[in-house]
Amino acid sequence: MQRMTVSTTLLQSDLPGLPLRHRGKVRDVLDIPRERLPANAPPGDYLLMVATDRLSAFDVVLPDPIPGKGEMLCQISNFWFARTEHLMPNHLTGIAVADALPKGADTALYAKRAVVTRKLKPVPVEAIARGYLIGSGWKDYQRTGAVSGITLPTGLRQAEKLPEPIFTPSTKAAVGDHDENIDFDSMVRTIGAELAEKVRDATLRIYRFAADYAAERGILLADTKFEFGTDDDGRLYIMDEMLTPDSSRYWPADEYEIGTSPPSYDKQIVRDYLETLDWNKTAPGPRLPAGVIERTRARYAEALKKLADIALD
């Protein structure tokens, strides 16, 4: 087992000289000027992707960070990128983060929470694989008997395992907006049949691989969301984050029960707390008690240990 010290907290990146391209709910994406790259870096454009400690709930970014969450998420993603590169190429370049930071930057602050990536053209659809009937899929099934246009057997219960994993794309919403499930035909109309089929096939292939691995470690991978992008030659890559507790629903196998909403290795502790408040689920979000922050941090640390075999010091 590897050991890792998580000692930094970052709510928002501050790297003068690296132009900010995008600030998402959790990740900051910055352009890396060519002069900041090693001389032997292959041709092309590169990005610095920083996983902050921001936490969003109900599509609202909350004011309090979860200390070290970005480091833990980045390490889980890196673990999965390495483990699945035989299934799908990913956006990582292998260039050291320290080599891309501007002079005077706190290297230790970004070392474990950032990666240097290829600059890709994002596929404008969220790629979701579901192996169990939960979340928005369960709500759609209750209403229509189908999820993203896929008709499912009658009589399924909440959290029940599906006969086969299904691909259920959604729109990619801006910060503060909600994603909406769409059917495969709508995805084809958005990005074309060939690319849609490649994304669907890769999503299900990676999901099955990850679900089998997680099951061996006593964890059920209920569903997960992937981001894909293409290079100038049209080659498809998986990018952003991968199989983290923020992008996936992981359940402890020994606490799984059909007909319930099983506990998960994610920010459910925060969502449960927020549901007790008189809050309309719009920005600005409420502050979090110290106990909720610490229990959430511990949940992410448990996922890091069980999935990537990395324990915190």
Side-chain angles (χ1 to χ4, degrees):
M1 179 179 294
Q2 300 179 56
R3 302 200 67 84
M4 183 177 95
T5 299
V6 173
S7 57
T8 70
T9 302
L10 181 68
L11 189 59
Q12 182 172 297
S13 62
D14 181 16
L15 294 168
L18 300 188
L20 179 67
R21 169 166 291 271
H22 174 70
R23 180 163 283 136
K25 295 172 185 174
V26 173
R27 283 164 181 75
D28 292 347
V29 182
L30 304 99
D31 286 307
I32 304 175
R34 191 71 201 182
E35 61 269 19
R36 290 297 319 147
L37 294 166
N40 62 349
D45 295 324
Y46 295 83
L47 302 172
L48 185 73
M49 186 171 290
V50 181
T52 72
D53 297 326
R54 295 192 295 268
L55 184 142
S56 71
F58 305 110
D59 291 317
V60 174
V61 177
L62 302 181
D64 294 300
I66 306 297
K69 179 172 83 80
E71 292 180 317
M72 290 186 275
L73 291 182
C74 186
Q75 297 309 307
I76 291 174
S77 279
N78 289 350
F79 166 81
W80 282 114
F81 281 132
R83 201 167 188 89
T84 61
E85 58 187 355
H86 66 291
L87 299 174
M88 168 62 55
N90 61 66
H91 67 171
L92 297 183
T93 63
I95 296 173
V97 170
D99 291 340
L101 295 177
K103 291 181 180 179
D106 184 351
T107 303
L109 181 59
Y110 293 93
K112 296 173 185 172
R113 66 171 69 250
V115 287
V116 177
T117 75
R118 296 175 177 85
K119 186 177 180 180
L120 302 169
K121 180 182 179 182
V123 175
V125 173
E126 303 277 10
I128 300 169
R130 301 178 188 271
Y132 295 77
L133 193 57
I134 197 71
S136 63
W138 167 240
K139 292 178 181 178
D140 288 350
Y141 174 77
Q142 287 180 294
R143 188 174 64 254
T144 68
V147 181
S148 291
I150 300 173
T151 300
L152 298 175
T154 59
L156 295 179
R157 292 178 289 167
Q158 184 181 28
E160 189 160 354
K161 187 174 183 179
L162 298 172
E164 292 288 339
I166 59 174
F167 176 70
T168 62
S170 75
T171 60
K172 189 177 290 188
V175 175
D177 293 334
H178 297 277
D179 297 340
E180 293 185 7
N181 294 340
I182 58 175
D183 59 24
F184 186 70
D185 287 343
S186 297
M187 181 177 175
V188 168
R189 288 193 293 272
T190 301
I191 65 173
E194 183 179 0
L195 183 56
E197 289 170 4
K198 286 181 179 179
V199 168
R200 179 186 60 190
D201 293 349
T203 297
L204 292 173
R205 186 166 63 245
I206 296 170
Y207 171 81
R208 290 188 177 98
F209 176 87
D212 288 346
Y213 171 87
E216 293 173 357
R217 306 185 75 84
I219 297 174
L220 304 180
L221 176 56
D223 52 43
T224 192
K225 176 176 66 177
F226 297 132
E227 304 262 4
F228 290 90
T230 56
D231 63 15
D232 291 340
D233 296 324
R235 189 183 189 196
L236 188 67
Y237 295 81
I238 192 165
M239 63 180 213
D240 195 49
E241 64 181 317
M242 185 178 191
L243 292 161
T244 71
D246 272 12
S247 65
S248 312
R249 202 183 314 257
Y250 288 109
W251 294 331
D254 59 0
E255 298 181 58
Y256 169 67
E257 185 178 348
I258 297 175
T260 68
S261 180
S264 55
Y265 288 103
D266 65 358
K267 52 195 174 186
Q268 188 62 48
I269 292 167
V270 172
R271 286 194 291 262
D272 289 346
Y273 166 74
L274 294 175
E275 290 283 19
T276 70
L277 305 180
D278 183 17
W279 175 51
N280 62 3
K281 298 178 183 176
T282 60
R287 303 294 302 270
L288 298 177
V292 171
I293 291 173
E294 183 52 39
R295 285 189 291 126
T296 301
R297 184 180 187 274
R299 201 65 168 159
Y300 280 101
E302 187 178 352
L304 178 69
K305 182 179 179 181
K306 289 202 170 191
L307 291 170
D309 207 27
I310 299 174
L312 300 188
D313 289 328

